[in-house]
Amino acid sequence: MNSRIAGPALAVLLAANFASAQSWQPPADAQRCPSKWGAADQRGSANHMKPETVLRAARLIRTGQVFELGHVLSGSMPFFGTRRFDVHTKRTNMNVGSNRRGSNEEIIVGELGQVGTQFDAFPHQTIGGSLYNCFPLEENATRSGFAKLGVEGVGALMTRGVLIDVAALKGVDMLPDTYEITPTDLQQALERQKQTLQPGDAAIIHTGWSRLWEKDNARYVKTNPGIGVAAAEWLAKQDPMLVGADNWSVEIGPNPDPAVSLPIHQIMLVVNGIHLLENMRLGELAAARAYEFALVLQPLKIQGGTGSTVAPIAIR
Amino acid sequence: MNSRIAGPALAVLLAANFASAQSWQPPADAQRCPSKWGAADQRGSANHMKPETVLRAARLIRTGQVFELGHVLSGSMPFFGTRRFDVHTKRTNMNVGSNRRGSNEEIIVGELGQVGTQFDAFPHQTIGGSLYNCFPLEENATRSGFAKLGVEGVGALMTRGVLIDVAALKGVDMLPDTYEITPTDLQQALERQKQTLQPGDAAIIHTGWSRLWEKDNARYVKTNPGIGVAAAEWLAKQDPMLVGADNWSVEIGPNPDPAVSLPIHQIMLVVNGIHLLENMRLGELAAARAYEFALVLQPLKIQGGTGSTVAPIAIR
Amino acid sequence: MNSRIAGPALAVLLAANFASAQSWQPPADAQRCPSKWGAADQRGSANHMKPETVLRAARLIRTGQVFELGHVLSGSMPFFGTRRFDVHTKRTNMNVGSNRRGSNEEIIVGELGQVGTQFDAFPHQTIGGSLYNCFPLEENATRSGFAKLGVEGVGALMTRGVLIDVAALKGVDMLPDTYEITPTDLQQALERQKQTLQPGDAAIIHTGWSRLWEKDNARYVKTNPGIGVAAAEWLAKQDPMLVGADNWSVEIGPNPDPAVSLPIHQIMLVVNGIHLLENMRLGELAAARAYEFALVLQPLKIQGGTGSTVAPIAIR
Amino acid sequence: MNSRIAGPALAVLLAANFASAQSWQPPADAQRCPSKWGAADQRGSANHMKPETVLRAARLIRTGQVFELGHVLSGSMPFFGTRRFDVHTKRTNMNVGSNRRGSNEEIIVGELGQVGTQFDAFPHQTIGGSLYNCFPLEENATRSGFAKLGVEGVGALMTRGVLIDVAALKGVDMLPDTYEITPTDLQQALERQKQTLQPGDAAIIHTGWSRLWEKDNARYVKTNPGIGVAAAEWLAKQDPMLVGADNWSVEIGPNPDPAVSLPIHQIMLVVNGIHLLENMRLGELAAARAYEFALVLQPLKIQGGTGSTVAPIAIR
């Protein structure tokens, strides 16, 4: 290496090398469509949601203990970009009738599919102009939602949840800011916990990152530890119902390869039709070493929505 | 009766008589506070949410069958007054990176605590300037939510649900537009189904009214069959976790007594601290005669919110 | 013509012929850029706004009579597509201080650049991915406005306004639903009024269409009479500061050529950099035969906005 | 004074003394109603808007120079409390038709009557439950605006504007943070400028405070120099069309008397029916010593609105 090349120039050079040598490329449409769930399929991994899946999860409820996995929704949450969650209180009736009834409500404004603890449906992401199962973006994006693949079609999810505690594996409260979780990390964490992933499970990854929630929002959204391409592809092979984590994008952000933008979003949502669950609140679950549980999740049935803010629970 | 008194004048006279003779009056603060859950209590009927309640519900899961009890959220739902639910699709990234990633989200605007299938928290209603457990309105209502009693404190609810099918009892698909459900109706419906209510249950009333949902919205919100004061007081004595129905206000609307305004909202939310669950989608549950089930409900944790739109499920 | 070809099939055939023979095509980038106002110009026709233009307009103020040319903004206006204008009243303080002050405000939600009487700035429209003066869309469209060409840069406009009363020329209150206004119509209307257009004028076209405003909103937005391609190109040659009309798109909608979509929007905003002023309230002006006046218009300075709802006036 | 009383306790004591001795009290309803403009009047000082007022202003247009008195509307403006102004860009059509038309618009959310450079209409403020001219609050406040006194009824205003440069009088760029402007200040500033106020004028006060706009927003909204009760009462006697200033409340904020809350808002809007114009951008006007000019202002015609963000101009 020419010792005079350094700093930004070096970074560009390395990035260029990196990109030409190794950048992840999305598969061609013909390679990914039709999806393994069939040519007309819009449900992807939610096809795992069957009576036997529910029963399998219900059998894990032994003590009735409930863990709340959703953060409180407020204007002081960390937000990505210009997203908002604003509550405007309205007093709409005051002292009405002989019973002196008063009424209050609120108008709420926000990117409701993509704030707080959030569930990603498939219209959230594309490869070029193409959605999951090669539904074309242009035909489906209307001014007020997506004609196909909208979150209203997902329905409630109840399945066996498995916490994969990578922070505990590494002996830290919180993984470093740009730590890429590898397939080995996931496998070792599962071994340590004496768990295995089964098809249809919810794979929930604990990074410890949510310790920053409303404590250091700027750091929370700037980068985050998370799964890389290799870990995502290994997880996709395990055939889960969803992959969740306690960070804002599940995946490592930004990707160590500067040429690609949030590739795990494409791998999961577009290529494999696997839902994501972001900004989870996992501290109590990890502290209790509750590695296996019934996960219950009720996405709002937003017509044509790209996702939904949610308040999931783990029960054991 | 003086035959010359007729039309509006007669109506006023009758209303006055009715009001003076029989109008329901909210109890004085000293009669209702502190609530039976204690002087500082903010949880009311959600105090029933305990591990044994969850286990009791989980034991009802025998087949893994899930019923979706929430309507799809869209701009074409019936709305009360000027409420809205608007979805504005946003394409926020297009063909970013060498992986050609596109991203979509939506800005949503609406009275999110009070649209669609919805869960009422206690700040929704007052008696004069006083909330549940006599928390004062003025001290708690801020520009962006309520300092106390907000829906973020409720948490997920999982309990035994009991469908009380009053429409089936009466042998109709849908109760008449202004039918007042009585305590006898509720008791006979339960007997017919061989069910009894237990403390902490979710009492879910089927009127058939949701057949009008998105079919005849104007009629849906103009009036509705529902429980009257006597039925509400009987239900409150059964000590439920919540009372739900497939209409927009659970209670008969408008009240047959023209002097009072939505008194059941006060009886449940303010006087007794019992949550309401409105605009439920109960057709499939009733058709399947699924009278007993695990009800699971995850209100959004809207900080200081008066309620939350929800997507509850029944599992059996 | 083959008599067996009819209905939709015929329409397709004609449309195809029409399109191949005559469809208006936007000029290539090299033909329209740089604009006549210079390579870096963002102001287009607003460059006419100079002290002498203001003085020329001020000299037309002889009686002090003011005509309000803006409609009232309300939820009952005609809207294009899913656009909204919602006002949510908020009582934010009540009886504060020894002076018992109460305060009210409102949260408003709407496509504020594109509702009501509205002024179009240049980012509103593109040819492919290119804006006025060939500023690229992708570089300028951010999540919260446009980096260049935003309506905040336009400033107040005050110029000589000329009403071109085409409805009066044709002897009708309102032009037919799909009437295309031609260059001859404009020229004859001006002759009839003994007016000529001068560079920098506001050319305001009276079609009578606003008689439907809040009277028959569905008809108002379904189609409208307005200028066609030939009239637009003639008007552009007159070098106006803006072109306004009392319909929702200034131009005939939909275009008689089914192959093209709102071409006058491109001709004015993208090709020539001439602002549009839509949904004007012109009835009083036309009734008073006020053909020449000072037009004053104050677009909101919405950072990066594609336009602004406005309340313009004519003064004479 | 007992030397052992200090800090908060002293403040309370002084406040109590101050309040009992001197606090401004709003006049009783019988003293202020009907207003001088008549019992049914809803226009207040806008009654000054007559043809001769317009002509008087037009005669001041001598050079055609226009001063923009409105700030740019953006999310980075200073906001009072939880107010917002959010722009969400929407790409609504892309490459439509053979003319490859693209379309952009934006959904905007904000307290539009009360953000940016803003014009206060009369429903903005009350004395107890009573509005200007004793219109009752409860009868007029609907969920979506005010039945009477709404800003839609004001119309465009054009009148002689007089800049009263108090900062220049005091020889400073900006008055101190809590400086109370007195009647003497106003009179001396007018004398210095050789101007007098006439009935129907717009009295525009330069404090220099807008130098902080988007530079130090926290300081801008924390307090501000402005007119006190005495100056407000003197100004009201001059019978202006409106009173404006380059700060967020025209009046000194908070009031030096801790017992009262924004009393000048009541004196102007409720007692005297005089409009306010806040957050003006006056730096250029003051630098040019443009003390007399035509002020033109076009409030948005928001049905039932408490005010309107505006983009006023001065012309001379």
Side-chain angles (χ1 to χ4, degrees):
Chain A
M1 191 174 82
N2 186 327
S3 65
R4 286 177 302 177
I5 301 174
L10 175 60
V12 168
L13 196 70
L14 288 173
N17 272 340
F18 196 105
S20 61
Q22 309 173 41
S23 277
W24 178 81
Q25 284 297 317
D29 286 2
Q31 285 177 287
R32 67 179 174 92
C33 302
S35 92
K36 71 174 177 184
W37 301 102
D41 179 66
Q42 297 187 43
R43 289 184 59 70
S45 65
N47 281 297
H48 281 298
M49 182 65 188
K50 295 175 189 163
E52 54 266 33
T53 312
V54 172
L55 286 177
R56 185 172 59 117
R59 280 194 293 267
L60 300 172
I61 304 177
R62 286 161 195 148
T63 67
Q65 186 181 14
V66 172
F67 296 88
E68 297 277 349
L69 309 184
H71 289 288
V72 170
L73 284 165
S74 85
S76 54
M77 298 186 293
F79 290 102
F80 193 73
T82 60
R83 288 178 195 156
R84 287 273 197 239
F85 182 80
D86 287 342
V87 174
H88 303 275
T89 308
K90 294 201 297 183
R91 305 184 188 187
T92 53
N93 282 301
M94 306 186 77
N95 274 313
V96 178
S98 66
N99 51 330
R100 295 178 293 122
R101 188 174 67 87
S103 186
N104 304 295
E105 56 192 60
E106 56 275 295
I107 182 95
I108 290 181
V109 182
E111 287 82 354
L112 216 74
Q114 305 294 334
V115 294
T117 303
Q118 70 194 248
F119 174 82
D120 281 350
F122 304 143
H124 181 40
Q125 298 287 303
T126 72
I127 297 171
S130 182
L131 297 159
Y132 166 68
N133 221 354
C134 293
F135 287 104
L137 174 66
E138 289 301 328
E139 283 177 25
N140 285 293
T142 78
R143 294 167 69 98
S144 51
F146 283 77
K148 287 187 174 150
L149 301 172
V151 71
E152 80 279 13
V154 175
L157 302 179
M158 178 167 176
T159 190
R160 175 178 179 253
V162 176
L163 185 74
I164 309 177
D165 194 341
V166 182
L169 172 74
K170 300 292 180 181
V172 294
D173 284 339
M174 195 167 80
L175 295 174
D177 295 52
T178 57
Y179 183 78
E180 176 178 339
I181 296 172
T182 65
T184 308
D185 289 339
L186 298 175
Q187 289 155 7
Q188 290 181 346
L190 284 165
E191 275 168 39
R192 180 179 162 277
Q193 301 168 192
K194 300 185 174 44
Q195 301 286 344
T196 55
L197 284 179
Q198 300 166 19
D201 280 353
I204 308 296
I205 300 161
H206 182 239
T207 69
W209 198 244
S210 70
R211 287 169 175 262
L212 300 175
W213 188 267
E214 296 204 354
K215 300 288 189 302
D216 189 347
N217 288 350
R219 184 175 168 202
Y220 185 87
V221 297
K222 191 179 177 198
T223 68
N224 67 242
I227 56 173
V229 166
E233 293 187 334
W234 181 81
L235 277 167
K237 271 187 210 128
Q238 312 312 308
D239 196 15
M241 187 183 286
L242 62 86
V243 178
D246 56 351
N247 58 17
W248 60 262
S249 61
V250 176
E251 68 185 285
I252 179 171
N255 198 276
D257 176 354
V260 296
S261 167
L262 294 181
I264 282 81
H265 270 62
Q266 290 180 323
I267 290 172
M268 292 297 178
L269 299 170
V270 190
V271 177
N272 289 290
I274 296 170
H275 292 290
L276 296 174
L277 184 50
E278 299 161 339
N279 293 327
M280 298 184 80
R281 184 177 166 276
L282 298 178
E284 290 175 12
L285 207 58
R289 302 184 187 192
Y291 297 133
E292 188 182 29
F293 44 84
L295 180 90
V296 187
L297 172 71
Q298 297 175 340
L300 295 179
K301 298 177 183 302
I302 301 166
Q303 178 124 35
T306 65
S308 170
T309 192
V310 286
I313 53 173
I315 323 172
R316 68 169 184 180
Chain B
M1 192 173 82
N2 186 325
S3 63
R4 287 177 302 180
I5 300 175
L10 176 60
V12 168
L13 197 71
L14 288 173
N17 271 339
F18 196 106
S20 61
Q22 309 173 39
S23 279
W24 177 81
Q25 284 296 318
D29 285 2
Q31 287 177 285
R32 67 178 174 91
C33 301
S35 92
K36 72 173 176 183
W37 301 103
D41 179 65
Q42 297 188 43
R43 289 184 58 72
S45 64
N47 281 298
H48 281 297
M49 182 65 189
K50 295 174 188 163
E52 53 265 34
T53 314
V54 172
L55 286 178
R56 185 171 59 117
R59 281 193 292 267
L60 300 172
I61 303 176
R62 287 162 195 147
T63 67
Q65 187 180 13
V66 172
F67 296 88
E68 296 277 347
L69 309 185
H71 289 288
V72 170
L73 284 165
S74 84
S76 55
M77 297 186 293
F79 290 102
F80 193 72
T82 59
R83 288 179 194 153
R84 288 269 197 244
F85 182 81
D86 288 341
V87 174
H88 303 275
T89 308
K90 295 201 295 183
R91 305 186 190 185
T92 52
N93 282 301
M94 307 185 77
N95 274 314
V96 178
S98 66
N99 51 330
R100 294 178 295 122
R101 190 175 65 90
S103 186
N104 304 294
E105 57 191 60
E106 55 275 295
I107 182 95
I108 289 182
V109 182
E111 287 82 354
L112 215 75
Q114 306 293 335
V115 295
T117 303
Q118 70 194 247
F119 174 82
D120 281 350
F122 304 143
H124 182 38
Q125 298 286 303
T126 72
I127 297 171
S130 181
L131 297 158
Y132 166 69
N133 221 355
C134 293
F135 286 104
L137 174 65
E138 290 301 328
E139 283 178 24
N140 286 292
T142 78
R143 294 167 69 100
S144 52
F146 284 77
K148 287 189 174 149
L149 301 171
V151 71
E152 81 279 13
V154 175
L157 302 179
M158 179 168 177
T159 190
R160 176 181 179 250
V162 176
L163 184 75
I164 310 177
D165 193 341
V166 181
L169 172 74
K170 300 293 180 181
V172 295
D173 284 340
M174 192 168 82
L175 295 174
D177 295 53
T178 58
Y179 181 78
E180 176 177 341
I181 296 172
T182 65
T184 307
D185 288 340
L186 297 176
Q187 289 154 8
Q188 290 182 346
L190 285 165
E191 275 168 37
R192 181 181 161 277
Q193 300 168 193
K194 300 184 176 44
Q195 300 287 344
T196 55
L197 285 179
Q198 299 165 20
D201 279 353
I204 308 295
I205 300 162
H206 182 239
T207 69
W209 198 245
S210 70
R211 287 169 175 261
L212 300 175
W213 188 267
E214 295 205 353
K215 300 288 189 301
D216 188 347
N217 287 350
R219 185 176 167 201
Y220 185 88
V221 297
K222 190 179 176 196
T223 68
N224 67 241
I227 57 174
V229 166
E233 292 187 333
W234 181 83
L235 277 168
K237 271 186 210 128
Q238 311 313 307
D239 196 16
M241 187 183 286
L242 61 86
V243 178
D246 56 350
N247 59 16
W248 60 262
S249 62
V250 176
E251 68 184 286
I252 179 170
N255 198 275
D257 177 354
V260 296
S261 168
L262 296 180
I264 282 80
H265 269 63
Q266 289 180 322
I267 291 171
M268 293 297 177
L269 299 170
V270 191
V271 178
N272 289 291
I274 296 169
H275 291 291
L276 295 174
L277 184 50
E278 299 161 338
N279 294 327
M280 298 184 79
R281 183 177 166 276
L282 298 177
E284 289 175 13
L285 207 59
R289 300 183 188 192
Y291 297 132
E292 188 183 28
F293 44 83
L295 180 90
V296 186
L297 173 71
Q298 297 175 340
L300 295 179
K301 298 178 183 301
I302 301 166
Q303 178 125 32
T306 67
S308 170
T309 192
V310 285
I313 54 172
I315 322 173
R316 69 169 182 179
Chain C
M1 192 173 85
N2 186 326
S3 65
R4 288 178 302 182
I5 300 175
L10 175 59
V12 168
L13 196 70
L14 287 173
N17 271 339
F18 196 105
S20 61
Q22 308 172 41
S23 277
W24 177 80
Q25 284 296 317
D29 286 2
Q31 286 177 285
R32 66 180 175 91
C33 300
S35 91
K36 70 173 177 184
W37 302 103
D41 178 67
Q42 298 187 42
R43 290 184 58 69
S45 64
N47 281 297
H48 282 297
M49 182 66 187
K50 295 173 187 164
E52 53 265 33
T53 313
V54 173
L55 287 177
R56 185 171 61 117
R59 282 192 292 268
L60 300 172
I61 303 177
R62 286 161 195 148
T63 67
Q65 187 180 13
V66 171
F67 296 88
E68 296 277 349
L69 308 185
H71 289 287
V72 169
L73 284 165
S74 85
S76 55
M77 298 186 293
F79 290 101
F80 193 73
T82 59
R83 288 180 194 153
R84 288 270 197 242
F85 182 80
D86 288 341
V87 174
H88 303 275
T89 308
K90 294 201 295 183
R91 306 184 189 186
T92 51
N93 281 301
M94 308 186 78
N95 273 314
V96 178
S98 66
N99 52 330
R100 295 178 293 122
R101 191 174 65 89
S103 186
N104 304 294
E105 57 190 60
E106 55 276 295
I107 181 96
I108 291 182
V109 182
E111 288 82 353
L112 215 74
Q114 306 294 335
V115 294
T117 303
Q118 69 193 247
F119 173 82
D120 281 352
F122 304 143
H124 182 38
Q125 298 287 303
T126 72
I127 296 172
S130 181
L131 297 158
Y132 166 69
N133 221 354
C134 293
F135 287 105
L137 174 66
E138 290 301 328
E139 284 178 24
N140 286 292
T142 77
R143 293 167 70 100
S144 52
F146 283 78
K148 287 190 174 149
L149 301 171
V151 72
E152 81 279 13
V154 175
L157 302 179
M158 178 168 176
T159 190
R160 177 181 177 249
V162 176
L163 184 75
I164 309 178
D165 193 341
V166 181
L169 172 74
K170 300 292 181 182
V172 296
D173 284 340
M174 194 168 81
L175 295 175
D177 296 53
T178 58
Y179 182 78
E180 176 178 339
I181 296 172
T182 65
T184 307
D185 289 340
L186 298 175
Q187 289 154 8
Q188 289 181 347
L190 285 165
E191 275 168 38
R192 182 181 161 276
Q193 300 169 194
K194 300 186 175 39
Q195 300 287 345
T196 55
L197 284 179
Q198 299 165 20
D201 280 353
I204 308 296
I205 299 162
H206 182 238
T207 69
W209 198 244
S210 70
R211 287 170 175 261
L212 300 174
W213 188 268
E214 295 204 356
K215 300 288 187 301
D216 188 347
N217 287 350
R219 185 175 167 201
Y220 185 88
V221 297
K222 191 179 176 197
T223 69
N224 68 241
I227 57 173
V229 166
E233 293 187 332
W234 181 82
L235 276 167
K237 272 186 207 129
Q238 311 312 307
D239 196 15
M241 187 182 287
L242 63 85
V243 178
D246 55 350
N247 58 17
W248 61 262
S249 62
V250 176
E251 68 184 285
I252 179 169
N255 198 275
D257 177 354
V260 296
S261 167
L262 295 180
I264 283 80
H265 270 62
Q266 289 180 322
I267 291 172
M268 293 297 177
L269 298 170
V270 191
V271 177
N272 290 290
I274 296 170
H275 292 290
L276 295 174
L277 184 50
E278 299 161 338
N279 294 326
M280 298 184 80
R281 185 177 165 273
L282 298 177
E284 291 175 11
L285 208 59
R289 301 185 187 190
Y291 296 133
E292 189 183 27
F293 44 83
L295 180 92
V296 186
L297 173 71
Q298 298 174 341
L300 295 179
K301 298 177 183 301
I302 302 165
Q303 177 124 36
T306 66
S308 171
T309 193
V310 285
I313 53 172
I315 322 173
R316 68 169 183 179
Chain D
M1 193 174 83
N2 187 325
S3 65
R4 287 177 303 179
I5 301 175
L10 176 60
V12 168
L13 195 69
L14 288 173
N17 272 339
F18 196 104
S20 61
Q22 310 172 39
S23 277
W24 177 81
Q25 283 296 316
D29 285 3
Q31 286 177 285
R32 67 178 174 93
C33 301
S35 91
K36 71 174 177 182
W37 301 102
D41 179 67
Q42 296 187 42
R43 289 183 59 70
S45 64
N47 281 297
H48 281 298
M49 181 66 186
K50 294 174 188 164
E52 54 265 34
T53 313
V54 172
L55 286 178
R56 187 171 59 117
R59 280 194 292 267
L60 300 172
I61 304 176
R62 287 163 195 145
T63 67
Q65 187 181 12
V66 172
F67 295 89
E68 296 278 349
L69 309 184
H71 290 288
V72 169
L73 285 164
S74 83
S76 55
M77 298 186 292
F79 291 102
F80 193 73
T82 59
R83 289 179 194 154
R84 287 271 198 241
F85 181 81
D86 287 340
V87 174
H88 304 275
T89 307
K90 295 201 295 182
R91 306 184 188 187
T92 52
N93 281 300
M94 307 186 78
N95 273 316
V96 178
S98 65
N99 52 330
R100 294 178 293 121
R101 189 174 67 87
S103 186
N104 304 295
E105 56 191 59
E106 56 276 295
I107 183 94
I108 290 181
V109 182
E111 287 82 354
L112 216 74
Q114 306 293 335
V115 294
T117 303
Q118 69 194 250
F119 174 82
D120 280 351
F122 304 143
H124 181 39
Q125 297 288 303
T126 71
I127 297 172
S130 183
L131 297 159
Y132 166 69
N133 222 354
C134 293
F135 286 104
L137 173 67
E138 288 300 328
E139 284 177 25
N140 285 293
T142 78
R143 293 166 71 98
S144 52
F146 283 77
K148 286 187 175 150
L149 301 172
V151 71
E152 80 280 15
V154 175
L157 301 179
M158 177 168 177
T159 190
R160 176 179 178 250
V162 176
L163 184 75
I164 309 177
D165 194 340
V166 181
L169 173 73
K170 301 292 181 182
V172 295
D173 284 339
M174 195 168 81
L175 295 174
D177 296 53
T178 58
Y179 182 78
E180 176 178 340
I181 297 173
T182 65
T184 306
D185 289 340
L186 298 176
Q187 289 155 8
Q188 289 181 347
L190 285 166
E191 274 168 40
R192 181 180 161 277
Q193 300 168 194
K194 301 186 175 40
Q195 300 287 343
T196 56
L197 284 179
Q198 300 165 20
D201 280 351
I204 308 296
I205 299 161
H206 182 239
T207 70
W209 199 244
S210 70
R211 286 170 175 263
L212 300 175
W213 188 268
E214 297 204 354
K215 300 288 188 301
D216 188 347
N217 288 350
R219 185 175 168 202
Y220 185 88
V221 297
K222 191 180 176 197
T223 68
N224 68 243
I227 56 173
V229 166
E233 293 187 333
W234 181 82
L235 276 167
K237 272 188 208 128
Q238 312 311 307
D239 196 16
M241 187 183 286
L242 62 84
V243 178
D246 55 350
N247 58 17
W248 59 264
S249 62
V250 176
E251 68 184 287
I252 177 169
N255 198 276
D257 176 355
V260 296
S261 167
L262 295 180
I264 282 80
H265 269 63
Q266 289 180 322
I267 291 172
M268 293 297 177
L269 298 170
V270 190
V271 178
N272 289 290
I274 296 169
H275 291 291
L276 295 174
L277 184 50
E278 300 161 340
N279 293 328
M280 298 184 78
R281 183 176 166 277
L282 298 177
E284 291 176 11
L285 207 59
R289 301 186 187 190
Y291 296 133
E292 189 182 28
F293 44 83
L295 180 91
V296 187
L297 174 70
Q298 297 175 341
L300 294 180
K301 297 176 183 300
I302 300 166
Q303 178 123 34
T306 66
S308 170
T309 192
V310 286
I313 53 172
I315 323 173
R316 67 169 185 179

